[in-house]
Amino acid sequence: MGTSLVSVTDAEYDAAVLESEKPVVVDFWAEWCGPCKQVTPILEELAAEHGDQITFLKLNIDENPATPASYNVISIPTIHLYRDGGLAKSIVGAKPRAALLRDIADHTGLRL
């Protein structure tokens, strides 16, 4: 069993994401975002199931505007998949669990 979805800030981003030895999934979200609320429970489940292989993080764009701006995040939810310190895939909008899991597996090396 893995871990949960952990919050990250602008100040922590580089160390937590770009310098991670594991693949990283980052959910850019906001409290007022309805579709974000649909995606969060899915990501929490995936973090619990696969957190030993992949780090799952969330970044509140209202509290941490610098990182989303630097990655041109203009719509939320946006989910970024990082591998070896680089952005491997950007997923914009809410997706069902199966589609998210497939995208994450395709770009992080997760074995399903």
Side-chain angles (χ1 to χ4, degrees):
M1 224 29 142
T3 58
S4 63
L5 198 56
V6 177
S7 292
V8 66
T9 65
D10 284 337
E12 302 163 332
Y13 199 82
D14 285 357
V17 177
L18 304 180
E19 297 171 16
S20 176
E21 293 186 14
K22 294 194 302 187
V24 182
V25 172
V26 181
D27 176 26
F28 292 89
W29 71 285
E31 194 67 47
W32 47 265
C33 170
C36 297
K37 292 177 183 176
Q38 294 173 326
V39 170
T40 297
I42 296 169
L43 291 174
E44 287 173 345
E45 286 176 13
L46 295 177
E49 294 167 13
H50 304 289
D52 53 337
Q53 301 169 65
I54 300 170
T55 300
F56 287 82
L57 303 172
K58 60 182 179 177
L59 185 134
N60 184 316
I61 66 162
D62 290 332
E63 296 171 0
N64 302 280
T67 302
S70 69
Y71 283 95
N72 296 318
V73 173
I74 56 173
S75 180
I76 55 172
T78 290
I79 298 167
H80 279 180
L81 311 177
Y82 293 85
R83 188 168 189 173
D84 300 322
L87 180 60
K89 180 162 180 78
S90 181
I91 303 166
V92 179
K95 283 189 167 186
R97 178 187 161 91
L100 274 177
L101 187 56
R102 190 170 46 252
D103 280 342
I104 290 169
D106 286 350
H107 294 280
T108 61
L110 179 67
R111 288 181 173 80
L112 301 176

